């Protein structure tokens, strides 16, 4: 199928473009971007006036739950939710059942993704076998099967010695190490940020130092031994500052932040709202501001969802027992546009955090509207306001602390490899 997307506001951080242009897609690629382009023979034309045309978002951090937890999400339902959110590539974490520490699991995920035929899926394999933190996974096998990164996300790599070896070993296969920075001894049985709200609610807190201690240890490994790591879901002022200094020192560290961490504080937990229970936890207004400052000054390179769908039954329980996680695909872009509306990021910068930045960090294609690149893009109505209704989520995970809120910016259509994989108003339940 050939497409002429006419008269949209083309926003492409790769070329610094932000102007009204036409885009032609053919054979799965972007063939031209320019003014007054002529529709190729047998093409369909889309009037994109009033819409932004952006590269498809690349989400470096999500949980698709398959194999093993299909009642929470499947590769198919997750990918359908992703493209509804304008996300065309996802990196899915390894804490499935069985965990992704083998070529068999990686291939299984890739097969499901091919069948689903919507978003591109890039599996993340385990750092350690069985995600037990004891011995390194077979990274060569994982890379060969299609993993592009390794992480024990959901859990840290508690042994510094194993992390040291993991950084070294992963680099020989070109795999990115994604660090879930959490010192479990410090985090203990905490269920939310440790502070006045946890005290008031009588809930056990997770101190900021749980994230700081582990991130600092990993950065000190980089300083002594070299290599690179990507720090996932940065949520606190102290970790932002740590990464800022590490970057000043020229260390191989990159970082991501999630929309919930730059939008909500621990106040969201008041009323024992289990949909606001997430790891790392929602923190103070000062931490939120620091995360935003980190995004603004480049300390935090990318934005990622940490889409963590859970079944209602795992959230409709007392706070201590509820699962950690937020279903994030379908609110991520709108929440990011909130930073544009408040004047903190330009639209180009905001889209860069979702496109060229993750593409460069994870070394995957896409993330730009450059000619000859994959025709992965989204058409977005930047002005459209909508109310978050979890029952309307395509994801099986209805667990969102944003329910009932009015957000601005809605995806109208999403293309992957030149195929329209999502159109607003048309059912794309898988
Ligand atoms: O809240 C979270 N949920 N944080 C994680 O690190 C893991 C995730 C999950 O897998 O549910």
């Amino acid at each position: 199928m050939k497409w002429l997307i006419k008269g949209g506001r083309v926003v492409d951080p790769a070329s610094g473009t932000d102007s009204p242009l036409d885009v032609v897609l053919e054979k799965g690629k972007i063939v031209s971007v320019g003014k007054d382009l002529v529709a190729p023979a047998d093409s369909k034309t889309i009037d994109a006036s009033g819409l932004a045309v952006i590269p498809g978002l690349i989400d470096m951090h999500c949980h698709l739950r398959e194999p093993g937890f299909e009642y929470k999400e499947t590769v198919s339902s997750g990918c359908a939710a992703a493209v509804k959110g304008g996300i065309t590539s996802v990196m899915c974490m390894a804490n499935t059942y069985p965990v992704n520490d083998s070529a068999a699991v990686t291939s299984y995920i890739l097969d499901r993704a091919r069948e689903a035929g919507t978003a591109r899926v890039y599996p993340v394999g385990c750092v350690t076998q069985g995600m037990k933190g004891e011995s390194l996974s077979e990274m060569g096998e994982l890379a060969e099967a299609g993993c592009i990164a390794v992480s024990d996300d959901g859990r840290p790599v508690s042994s510094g010695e194993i992390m040291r070896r993991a950084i070294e070993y992963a680099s020989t296969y070109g795999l990115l190490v994604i660090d879930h920075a959490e010192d479990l001894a410090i985090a203990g049985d905490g269920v939310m940020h440790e502070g006045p709200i946890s005290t008031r609610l009588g809930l056990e807190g997770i101190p900021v130092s749980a994230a700081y201690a582990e991130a600092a240890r990993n950065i000190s490994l980089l300083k002594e031994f070299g290599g690179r790591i990507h720090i996932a879901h940065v949520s606190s002022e102290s970790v932002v500052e740590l990464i800022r200094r590490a970057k000043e020192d020229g260390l191989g560290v990159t970082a991501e932040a999630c929309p919930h961490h730059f939008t909500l504080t621990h106040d969201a937990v008041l009323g024992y709202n289990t949909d606001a229970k997430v790891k790392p936890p929602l923190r103070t207004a000062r931490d939120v501001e620091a995360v935003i400052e980190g995004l603004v000054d480049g300390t935090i390179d990318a934005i990622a969802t940490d889409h963590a769908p859970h079944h209602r039954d795992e959230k409709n329980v007392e706070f201590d027992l509820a699962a950690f996680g937020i279903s994030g695909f379908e609110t991520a872009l709108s929440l990011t546009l909130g930073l544009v509306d408040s004047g903190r990021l330009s639209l180009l910068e905001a889209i860069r955090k979702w496109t060229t930045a993750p593409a460069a960090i994870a070394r995957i294609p896409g993330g730009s509207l450059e000619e000859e690149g994959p025709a992965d893009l989204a058409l977005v109505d930047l002005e459209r306001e909508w109310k978050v209704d979890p029952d309307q989520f395509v994801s099986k995970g209805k667990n969102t602390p944003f329910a009932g809120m009015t957000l601005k910016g809605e995806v109208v259509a999403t293309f992957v490899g030149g195929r329209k994989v999502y159109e607003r108003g048309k059912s794309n339940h898988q």
Side-chain angles (χ1 to χ4, degrees):
M1 172 62 73
K2 300 175 198 169
W3 298 92
L4 169 64
I5 300 170
K6 223 172 161 42
R9 174 181 172 189
V10 170
V11 178
D12 183 18
S15 58
T17 306
D18 183 352
S19 48
L21 293 169
D22 303 338
V23 182
V24 172
L25 316 180
E26 210 175 311
K27 292 191 184 139
K29 291 190 171 169
I30 294 169
V31 292
S32 46
V33 180
K35 275 198 190 321
D36 304 322
L37 298 181
V38 179
D42 307 323
S43 66
K44 281 194 177 174
T45 298
I46 298 179
D47 177 10
S49 48
L51 303 178
V53 181
I54 62 171
L57 309 186
I58 297 173
D59 186 0
M60 299 186 72
H61 190 149
C62 76
H63 300 267
L64 295 180
R65 305 300 193 203
E66 196 176 356
F69 301 109
E70 291 82 357
Y71 68 96
K72 295 176 195 262
E73 192 81 289
T74 61
V75 171
S76 173
S77 65
C79 287
V83 295
K84 184 180 167 204
I87 297 163
T88 52
S89 295
V90 297
M91 291 168 57
C92 59
M93 289 296 165
N95 61 343
T96 48
Y97 186 79
V99 296
N100 187 4
D101 65 354
S102 68
V105 174
T106 306
S107 308
Y108 181 87
I109 293 167
L110 289 171
D111 285 347
R112 297 289 81 75
R114 252 187 301 277
E115 280 166 21
T118 52
R120 298 180 199 269
V121 174
Y122 294 94
V124 177
C126 294
V127 174
T128 64
Q129 286 183 33
M131 219 182 249
K132 292 198 177 100
E134 290 160 8
S135 50
L136 291 179
S137 61
E138 297 290 350
M139 294 189 196
E141 175 187 321
L142 290 171
E144 192 164 329
C147 286
I148 58 159
V150 284
S151 180
D152 280 359
D153 181 72
R155 296 181 57 77
V157 176
S158 293
S159 156
E161 160 65 4
I162 296 215
M163 192 52 143
R164 173 190 170 184
R165 301 293 170 204
I167 294 168
E168 204 176 1
Y169 192 40
S171 71
T172 61
Y173 298 105
L175 294 166
L176 176 70
V177 177
I178 302 177
D179 175 27
H180 170 110
E182 180 185 15
D183 182 319
L184 293 178
I186 299 176
D189 294 326
V191 290
M192 69 171 293
H193 174 71
E194 180 168 315
I197 309 265
S198 65
T199 305
R200 198 181 331 157
L201 292 175
L203 293 172
E204 197 157 329
I206 304 173
V208 164
S209 45
Y212 181 85
E214 191 98 353
R217 182 205 70 188
N218 292 338
I219 284 172
S220 79
L221 291 172
L222 294 183
K223 191 161 191 166
E224 188 164 357
F225 306 113
R228 65 181 191 127
I229 54 166
H230 176 76
I231 300 187
H233 40 49
V234 174
S235 65
S236 68
E237 182 182 32
S238 60
V239 174
V240 173
E241 187 48 32
L242 186 71
I243 297 167
R244 187 174 285 126
R245 274 187 279 121
K247 286 193 163 186
E248 279 164 14
D249 290 347
L251 303 183
V253 62
T254 55
E256 81 200 16
C258 306
H260 44 272
H261 288 129
F262 61 69
T263 309
L264 296 175
T265 67
H266 54 165
D267 288 16
V269 176
L270 286 167
Y272 299 93
N273 179 7
T274 57
D275 284 334
K277 181 175 175 181
V278 63
K279 245 186 190 183
L282 303 173
R283 301 194 192 271
T284 65
R286 196 167 155 164
D287 291 305
V288 169
E289 177 56 27
V291 170
I292 295 172
E293 279 167 18
L295 286 164
V296 170
D297 74 8
T299 301
I300 301 176
D301 307 80
I303 304 176
T305 61
D306 194 5
H307 174 75
H310 291 292
H311 193 274
R312 285 262 197 233
D313 292 351
E314 296 167 308
K315 286 290 194 178
N316 288 343
V317 290
E318 64 184 273
F319 200 89
D320 279 336
L321 301 178
F324 288 95
I326 289 172
S327 180
F329 281 152
E330 290 160 80
T331 51
L333 177 58
S334 302
L335 294 169
T336 304
L337 293 172
L339 296 179
V340 178
D341 246 16
S342 61
R344 304 304 299 270
L345 290 178
S346 68
L347 184 58
L348 266 175
E349 269 309 311
I351 302 303
R352 186 190 309 280
K353 302 279 178 196
W354 274 110
T355 55
T356 45
I361 296 167
R363 298 173 183 160
I364 54 179
S368 90
L369 297 176
E370 277 162 348
E371 291 171 6
E372 286 308 301
D376 296 0
L377 50 97
L379 273 50
V380 186
D381 183 341
L382 297 172
E383 298 306 320
R384 166 100 168 189
E385 295 193 343
W386 60 285
K387 199 169 177 172
V388 181
D389 174 3
D391 290 333
Q392 298 298 316
F393 276 10
V394 168
S395 169
K396 290 191 185 188
K398 313 298 178 193
N399 46 306
T400 174
F402 299 103
M405 289 187 197
T406 298
L407 303 180
K408 204 166 137 190
E410 195 177 35
V411 174
V412 172
T414 306
F415 292 80
V416 173
R419 285 177 46 241
K420 188 159 22 122
V421 292
Y422 171 74
E423 187 174 347
R424 184 174 64 189
K426 291 208 172 153
S427 164
N428 77 332
H429 286 268
Q430 300 287 305

